[in-house]
């Protein structure tokens, strides 16, 4: 009786070990390493990425059991593949003659290239320049510049009309004198026909001189960027708008 129970126990152990070995054989070992955007190791230990998503969809469709084996680099994966320690890898791999002879490899599924496509413009540079000069963006810059010139010219005229009536006349003509001085000072022309005499007027002049340097630099950069951007902008809306040069 004891021998019979012993035989049954041994038989059960053999069945369990056989099932375990079969389960291990049916579970694929997938070698991977952190390589964004194809394989990304998350902080919680899970994996995401293009290759992960593609492989898991394939495994789900084919009803395959698998487990991931994480490596530090691609060299370790190649060695494990060569010694059959893992079943496959889903990381990107260059296809060459040596690897094709050693492994079964798929063709690349992800090919990326970057390019810039613009339509060929049959317009002369003069036409492009004139159209940019009369653009809305250029007009906004000019109006802002005129406003700043008016503000400083007005304040200087308001101060100097009491101390320097010959150069900054009262009334609308004097306001024009202030605008003239502001424009001449900003452009650093320096005619010298109008200059402040009061201390407050000189203080306003100093502030305007330094401010004008910054404004002129910004104004020049804005004009250059506006003309450049306007020249590069195109009306590409679909593939039919692209023409080869």
């Amino acid at each position: 009786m004891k021998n019979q129970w012993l035989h049954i126990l041994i038989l059960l152990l053999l069945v369990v070990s056989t099932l375990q070995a079969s389960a291990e054989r049916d579970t694929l070992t997938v070698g991977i390493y952190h390589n964004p955007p194809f394989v990304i190791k998350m902080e919680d230990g899970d994996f995401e990425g293009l290759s992960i998503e593609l492989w898991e969809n394939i495994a789900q469709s084919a009803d395959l059991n698998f487990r991931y084996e994480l490596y530090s680099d691609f060299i370790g994966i190649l060695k494990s593949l060569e010694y059959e320690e893992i079943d496959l890898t889903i990381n990107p791999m260059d296809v060459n003659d040596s690897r094709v002879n050693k492994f079964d490899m798929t063709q690349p599924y992800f090919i990326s290239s970057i390019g810039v496509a613009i339509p060929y413009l049959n317009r002369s540079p003069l036409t492009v320049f004139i159209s940019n000069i009369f653009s809305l963006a250029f007009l906004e810059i000019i109006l802002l510049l005129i406003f700043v010139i008016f503000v400083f010219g007005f304040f200087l005229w308001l101060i100097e009309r009491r101390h320097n009536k010959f150069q900054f006349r009262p009334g609308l003509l004097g306001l024009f004198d202030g605008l003239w001085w502001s424009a001449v000072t900003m452009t650093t022309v320096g005619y010298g026909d109008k200059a402040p005499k009061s201390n407050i007027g000189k203080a306003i002049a100093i502030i305007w001189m330094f401010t004008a340097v910054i404004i002129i630099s910004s104004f020049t950069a804005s004009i250059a960027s506006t003309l450049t951007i306007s020249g590069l902008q195109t009306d590409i809306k679909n593939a039919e708008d692209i023409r080869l040069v």
Side-chain angles (χ1 to χ4, degrees):
M1 188 68 178
K2 292 182 179 180
N3 292 332
Q4 184 178 1
W5 282 108
L6 182 61
H7 289 305
I8 293 175
L9 180 60
I10 293 174
L11 181 61
L12 289 175
L13 291 175
L14 289 175
V15 170
V16 171
S17 61
T18 302
L19 291 176
Q20 289 179 348
S22 177
E24 291 180 356
R25 286 195 300 270
D26 292 339
T27 301
L28 297 175
T29 302
V30 182
I32 58 175
Y33 75 101
H34 182 71
N35 184 19
F38 302 97
V39 177
I40 305 173
K41 182 181 179 182
M42 309 301 293
E43 295 181 356
D44 57 0
D46 291 335
F47 298 97
E48 294 183 358
L50 299 175
S51 296
I52 295 293
E53 184 176 352
L54 177 61
W55 164 249
E56 291 182 354
N57 287 333
I58 294 174
Q60 183 178 3
S61 300
D63 194 19
L64 299 175
N65 296 323
F66 68 92
R67 66 180 183 87
Y68 291 124
E69 184 74 23
L70 183 63
Y71 289 82
S72 60
D73 53 28
F74 193 64
I75 301 300
I77 291 181
L78 288 179
K79 291 182 179 179
S80 297
L81 276 175
E82 189 172 358
Y83 290 110
E84 299 183 356
E85 296 176 354
I86 59 176
D87 296 301
L88 66 132
T89 181
I90 57 176
N91 278 94
M93 179 188 297
D94 294 332
V95 179
N96 53 42
D97 294 338
S98 176
R99 291 174 181 175
V100 169
N101 293 330
K102 290 183 179 180
F103 313 115
D104 292 329
M105 305 182 66
T106 63
Q107 293 299 318
Y109 70 90
F110 185 91
I111 299 175
S112 175
S113 59
I114 299 175
V116 177
I118 62 173
Y120 179 69
L121 301 178
N122 295 315
R123 295 187 298 172
S124 64
L126 180 61
T127 304
V128 176
F129 177 78
I130 293 176
S131 63
N132 290 330
I133 286 295
F134 291 98
S135 64
L136 180 60
F138 189 81
L139 180 61
E140 291 177 353
I141 295 175
I142 294 297
L143 292 178
L144 179 60
L145 183 61
I146 293 175
F147 174 75
V148 176
I149 291 175
F150 174 80
V151 169
F152 278 91
F154 172 76
F155 279 110
L156 187 76
W157 167 77
L158 200 63
I159 298 299
E160 290 296 315
R161 62 182 179 149
R162 299 177 182 177
H163 305 85
N164 191 1
K165 296 181 179 180
F166 295 101
Q167 295 185 5
F168 296 93
R169 296 165 291 181
L172 293 177
L173 294 177
L175 182 59
F176 177 77
D177 294 335
L179 296 178
W180 171 257
W181 170 87
S182 181
V184 170
T185 303
M186 183 195 68
T187 56
T188 65
V189 175
Y191 288 125
D193 55 339
K194 299 183 184 300
K197 293 184 177 180
S198 64
N199 292 331
I200 298 178
K202 292 178 180 178
I204 294 175
I206 292 175
I207 295 174
W208 175 233
M209 290 174 188
F210 286 101
T211 305
V213 173
I214 300 174
I215 291 178
I216 286 297
S217 301
S218 302
F219 179 69
T220 304
S222 299
I223 291 177
S225 61
T226 300
L227 296 178
T228 302
I229 293 174
S230 299
L232 293 176
Q233 285 180 343
T234 60
D235 297 327
I236 298 177
K237 297 180 180 179
N238 51 53
E240 295 179 357
D241 295 333
I242 301 176
R243 293 179 294 168
L244 297 177
V245 179

